[in-house]
């Protein structure tokens, strides 16, 4: 017998609608899929978050979007402006990319201030923040320090990847992030989560959210198992 329910898994999934080639019709369809499958959230391109919020209104599916995406090198003031606009447009969760340049340069004060600035406007609006490390470019020492900074600031989630780098989530990284994060800070996996088997591996590593484009395939697999 499975140790999880359909809802347990569905409410782990942030249905990702971030590919630049998606048409307006595909964004609309993606939001409807998220509703039909009752996932945790839709993570959508920032320009469409207002419409996404309208579609999801009255449901338990949360509208979310990205900040400083996908490279993270926006000025802090730009990230704050992006966050402020997204929150005004109805976003309830934001996925922000760290300044990777400053992480690799060891400028930790800048990195902390950058995260904190976005976190402050996010929490002030009653929303939640996920901080994307982009682990493909980092060493373990960088990941550990980012976990410490995010934990100190009381970030809601730390997240592995954008899905646009050379590599996505690995179990080793997820275990490292879980180990070096305070218990109350959650971990999100993104990049390469295309099967139920991989999602369950992430769950076993302590992950509470995953970013996925293969939502239908993953959740249909659970429906088949339950028949």
């Amino acid at each position: 017998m499975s140790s999880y329910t359909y809802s347990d898994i569905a409410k782990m999934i942030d249905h990702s609608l971030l590919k630049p080639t998606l048409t307006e019709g595909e964004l609309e369809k993606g939001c409807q899929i998220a509703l039909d499958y009752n996932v945790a959230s839709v993570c959508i391109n920032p320009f469409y978050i207002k419409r996404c919020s309208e579609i999801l209104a009255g449901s338990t599916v949360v509208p979310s979007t990205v900040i400083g995406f996908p490279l993270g090198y926006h000025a802090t003031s730009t990230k704050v402006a992006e966050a402020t606009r997204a929150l005004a447009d109805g976003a309830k969760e934001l996925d922000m990319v760290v300044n990777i340049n400053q992480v690799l340069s060891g400028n930790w004060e800048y990195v902390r201030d950058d995260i904190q600035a976005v976190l402050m406007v996010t929490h002030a609006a009653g929303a939640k923040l996920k901080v994307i490390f982009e682990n493909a470019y980092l060493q373990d020492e960088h990941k550990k320090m980012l976990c410490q900074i995010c934990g100190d600031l009381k970030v809601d989630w730390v997240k592995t990847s954008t899905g646009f780098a050379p590599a996505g989530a690995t179990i080793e990284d997820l275990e490292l992030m879980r180990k070096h994060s305070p218990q109350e800070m959650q971990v999100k996996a993104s990049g390469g989560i295309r099967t139920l088997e991989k999602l369950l591996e992430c769950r076993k590593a302590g992950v509470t959210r995953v970013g996925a484009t293969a939502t239908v395939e993953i959740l249909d697999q659970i429906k088949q198992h339950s028949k």
Side-chain angles (χ1 to χ4, degrees):
M1 186 173 178
S2 299
S3 60
Y4 56 84
T5 65
Y6 173 88
S7 182
D8 289 337
I9 303 305
K11 288 302 184 185
M12 284 182 65
I13 294 176
D14 290 347
H15 185 52
S16 178
L17 298 172
L18 297 171
K19 291 180 181 177
T21 54
L22 290 175
T23 65
E24 188 171 320
E26 288 170 324
L27 294 176
E28 292 278 323
K29 182 181 178 182
C31 290
Q32 189 58 53
I33 285 170
L35 282 173
D36 292 344
Y37 282 80
N38 196 24
V39 298
S41 88
V42 174
C43 193
I44 202 163
N45 297 321
F47 87 97
Y48 219 69
I49 187 64
K50 187 172 184 178
R51 172 61 182 150
C52 176
S53 300
E54 293 169 354
I55 296 170
L56 302 181
S59 76
T60 61
V61 182
V62 175
S64 65
T65 191
V66 289
I67 304 298
F69 194 88
L71 300 174
Y73 52 26
H74 302 59
T76 299
S77 58
T78 302
K79 290 181 178 178
V80 170
E82 283 186 311
T84 301
R85 175 58 188 267
L87 295 163
D89 283 347
K92 300 301 181 186
E93 294 178 358
L94 302 179
D95 291 39
M96 166 200 176
V97 186
V98 298
N99 188 309
I100 300 162
N101 171 288
Q102 292 296 282
V103 170
L104 294 175
S105 300
N107 293 333
W108 296 113
E109 184 176 358
Y110 183 101
V111 173
R112 180 189 178 91
D113 290 348
D114 190 55
I115 296 169
Q116 186 173 36
V118 176
L119 181 67
M120 287 177 66
V121 296
T122 305
H123 280 182
K128 296 181 178 181
L129 183 68
K130 309 180 189 97
V131 173
I132 304 171
F133 293 3
E134 202 66 292
N135 285 339
Y137 302 128
L138 307 181
Q139 300 299 315
D140 284 356
E141 63 195 69
H142 301 124
K143 302 164 197 173
K144 292 175 185 177
M145 180 61 79
L146 284 169
C147 286
Q148 181 180 323
I149 289 170
C150 290
D152 290 346
L153 292 175
K154 301 190 183 306
V155 165
D156 301 288
W157 278 270
V158 286
K159 177 178 170 182
T160 58
S161 325
T162 62
F164 287 79
T170 68
I171 297 304
E172 292 76 16
D173 276 346
L174 294 169
E175 290 175 343
L176 180 148
M177 291 167 73
R178 181 65 275 166
K179 179 179 179 181
H180 292 278
S181 297
Q183 197 58 41
E184 63 273 14
M185 186 167 69
Q186 301 177 71
V187 178
K188 176 178 173 179
S190 186
I193 318 298
R194 300 186 182 93
T195 64
L196 177 60
E197 181 182 14
K198 183 61 181 288
L199 185 149
L200 293 175
E201 288 178 10
C202 293
R203 188 170 186 256
K204 185 177 180 181
V207 167
T208 60
R209 286 285 184 91
V210 301
T213 57
T215 300
V216 171
E217 293 82 357
I218 292 169
L219 294 178
D220 278 351
Q221 204 173 338
I222 298 177
K223 291 179 179 180
Q224 288 297 322
H225 287 173
S226 63
K227 286 182 178 180

